[in-house]
Amino acid sequence: MELLFLGTGSGVPSKGRNVSAIALQLLEERGATWLFDCGEATQHQILHTSIRPRRIERIFITHLHGDHIFGLPGLLGSRSFQGGETPLFVYGPAGIRSFIETALTVSGTRLKYELHIEEFTEGVVFQDEQFIVTAKLLDHGLPSYGFRIVEKDLPGTLLVDELRALGVKPGSIYQQIKRGELVTLDDGTVIDGRNFVAPPKKGRIVAIMGDTRYCEASVELAKRADVLVHEATFSAEEAHLAHDYYHSTTLQAAEVAKRAEVKQLILTHISSRYQGNMCDQLVEEAKTIFPNVALAFDFSSFPIIRKGNDEG
Ligand SMILES: [Zn+2]
Ligand SMILES: [Zn+2]
């Protein structure tokens, strides 16, 4: 599992930063890539990475501002042109369907794969046996959502060495033990399967916020996440601008991270007014509130490691 930032600028593209898009690489987990937002020229950014458009399985859209969706029609078309045949799911706020369908229809773009567009409000956006993705409304000029992506816990492995030491040989009995049942051995001893299974492996939690002012919903979505991706369009001293334009400052993003008790904060959606050393300054500001901060650049990647078996 890895976050790969494809665009980290706010509003309009600059030479250093393209507009918003983030890939959540789930290659080991499910051989797929999920995208969060798809600003203009996201497909061009993808050309500089190992991402295969045909592997993009789901696209989650935080809100309908142009810097988060104008790359969709092009990417959807190219995915088809490049041989993508597996279904693609796009989740977005109300309006995403008419945006996509209009763009595809008027341009005569025909897709060779099934495109499923789902408009969501708050609550569960997607769920299967591996992941659950939920959304909450944030505080922005247009309805903007944050996502909490939770990987479900993996069942613990069977403690084979301990069973062997007791003389329990592999066979169908291992399945009963793994289910945590009481099992009678050949010699009449009864063992409790639960004592021979390691604790479940904790799933990882990633929280990705759309554009927003500082708000409670962000804290709730990010609660104890391994990684929180939060916008920091402005520096601390531009708090009035952040408020007026429905964005956040470095300090506000850090405050969310601190209150949510996340492990790591990644700042993105950075205004083009901050270049070079000024970006270090943004990180230092955030660190005055929350220690583990990184600022994303285009093509920054952050692996999300599964922690051991700690119950934390
Ligand atoms: Zn934006
Ligand atoms: Zn916006």
Side-chain angles (χ1 to χ4, degrees), residues 11 63 67-68 211 247 269:
H63 67 300
D67 58 321
H68 296 254
D211 293 2
H247 285 297
H269 204 272

Side-chain angles (χ1 to χ4, degrees), residues 1-5 22-26 29 34-36 60 62 125-126 130-136 145-153 202-210 217-230 256 260-268 301-307:
M1 188 188 274
E2 180 185 68
L3 280 170
L4 173 55
F5 286 79
I22 302 170
L24 179 62
Q25 294 276 60
L26 300 170
E29 291 77 9
W34 290 1
L35 278 190
F36 291 82
F60 298 85
T62 60
V125 174
F126 166 73
Q130 232 182 352
F131 286 95
I132 177 164
V133 180
T134 52
K136 265 182 184 289
Y145 291 84
F147 296 109
R148 178 179 177 86
I149 304 109
V150 177
E151 181 188 31
K152 296 184 178 174
D153 292 350
K202 279 277 174 201
R204 289 156 287 188
I205 302 174
V206 182
I208 299 176
M209 299 302 121
S218 309
V219 178
E220 288 163 24
L221 283 167
K223 206 77 201 167
R224 306 234 166 150
D226 292 86
V227 182
L228 164 63
V229 179
H230 199 290
V256 172
E261 303 173 278
V262 303
K263 296 199 178 91
Q264 185 182 20
L265 168 65
I266 304 173
L267 304 175
T268 187
S301 71
F302 299 87
I304 305 164
I305 312 293
R306 192 194 293 280
K307 296 292 178 295

Side-chain angles (χ1 to χ4, degrees), residues 51-93:
I51 294 171
R52 297 276 161 271
R54 68 175 72 181
R55 287 238 171 150
I56 298 173
E57 179 194 46
R58 292 168 207 280
I59 303 177
F60 298 85
I61 299 296
T62 60
H63 67 300
L64 302 183
H65 274 150
D67 58 321
H68 296 254
I69 64 167
F70 283 168
L72 264 178
L75 177 65
L76 297 181
S78 298
R79 185 183 188 270
S80 185
F81 194 72
Q82 291 161 4
E85 289 175 350
T86 52
L88 174 66
F89 297 80
V90 179
Y91 309 87

